[in-house]
Amino acid sequence: MAGASSLAACLQSLRAVLFDTDGVITDSAPVHAAAWKGAFDACLAAVGGQRPFDPVDDYLRYVDGRARQDGAAAFLHSRGLDLPLGTQDDPPGTDTVCAVAARKEELFSESLRKHPVATWPGTVRLLRALGRHGVPCAAVSASRHATELLSAAGVDTLFRAVVDGNEAHRLGLPGKPDPALFVEAARRLGVPPADTAVVEDALAGVEAGRRGGFGLVVGVDRTAGPYSAGALRRRGADVVVTDPGELLIPGEDG
């Protein structure tokens, strides 16, 4: 990447790049947020006296980037609702944390069947440029749908490894903000975290990148808002962009 700007130079010095999936590679964050709203609002209505789930603020604060069960527990706790955890076999409902998470999963799956999810063009351009320069990339997500989404979008071949929610469950890896998912992805690429960049839009994911000692943590703020950009920096983002395509220099994004 000769003649790169300072940011491109920072990226050039690293040997691998890890991309979060929802909101960074695929435009699926709004679908997740809508599914969470359906699940949480039913739960809030059941107890009464609660304002509805905010698909922007509440989503970013409590559930974005987290495993379903962790996100459900975090949001419900924020509203003073300490539901029993339940079990993974709980049917969709409002009585347990797992039941609320199951309802979110049901709503998300229904939406995917009706409306295919698109990819972010700037991220795809960056992935292709990194591929041309021999920089291995991995996709990382707490979602068990990540591999399915990448394949359906036709971008799965741009990644040498994918660590999704299914792999996290199989390996017993804790979810973000623990860095375990990113560390496992770097391990599969054969590159130490210190020589690897993380590209994330979720606060929990940015914090995971910082905790994991990664060489560069890029926060993606698609809202271009002062609150969200500042929050990403406070959690550990070294730089914040509105789209990963901004990490490309002229002539490198074809």
Side-chain angles (χ1 to χ4, degrees):
M1 298 182 186
S5 64
S6 59
L7 178 58
C10 292
L11 191 60
Q12 181 187 13
S13 69
L14 301 172
R15 297 167 47 205
V17 183
L18 311 180
F19 290 81
D20 174 52
T21 303
D22 297 308
V24 174
I25 304 168
T26 60
D27 189 13
S28 45
V31 186
H32 281 288
W36 276 120
K37 181 170 177 58
F40 284 137
D41 282 358
C43 188
L44 296 172
V47 298
Q50 290 273 359
R51 69 185 186 278
F53 174 80
D54 188 317
V56 177
D57 186 58
D58 287 333
Y59 177 74
L60 292 174
R61 285 176 179 268
Y62 302 112
V63 300
D64 189 23
R66 297 177 184 267
R68 279 200 309 274
Q69 183 177 303
D70 295 342
F75 172 74
L76 293 170
H77 180 74
S78 78
R79 296 295 185 89
L81 303 178
D82 294 318
L83 299 183
L85 176 61
T87 71
Q88 297 296 329
D89 295 326
D90 286 356
T94 62
D95 295 334
T96 69
V97 171
C98 286
V100 174
R103 177 56 176 156
K104 182 269 175 179
E105 168 68 4
E106 183 177 67
L107 292 171
F108 184 76
S109 296
E110 288 175 0
S111 181
L112 286 186
R113 287 193 293 269
K114 297 176 182 177
H115 308 289
V117 173
T119 56
W120 288 101
T123 303
V124 175
R125 291 196 299 269
L126 176 59
L127 283 163
R128 288 174 176 160
L130 290 167
R132 289 196 300 269
H133 288 277
V135 179
C137 298
V140 179
S141 177
S143 172
R144 297 192 181 193
H145 293 278
T147 299
E148 171 191 354
L149 289 174
L150 295 172
S151 178
V155 296
D156 53 316
T157 57
L158 299 176
F159 301 97
R160 294 195 190 177
V162 176
V163 179
D164 63 6
N166 295 307
E167 284 296 276
H169 178 72
R170 182 178 69 84
L171 297 172
L173 301 177
K176 306 168 189 176
D178 191 285
L181 295 177
F182 286 130
V183 172
E184 173 63 16
R187 185 193 69 78
R188 294 186 184 192
L189 296 180
V191 180
D195 294 327
T196 302
V198 167
V199 184
E200 255 283 6
D201 70 322
L203 297 178
V206 165
E207 183 176 343
R210 177 186 59 79
R211 287 188 186 184
F214 286 85
L216 178 70
V217 180
V218 178
V220 179
D221 174 24
R222 296 199 183 276
T223 69
Y227 164 77
S228 50
L232 288 166
R233 290 190 178 94
R234 287 191 295 273
R235 290 294 184 95
D238 299 301
V239 64
V240 176
V241 298
T242 59
D243 184 89
E246 295 172 27
L247 298 175
L248 291 167
I249 60 172
E252 291 292 343
D253 60 346

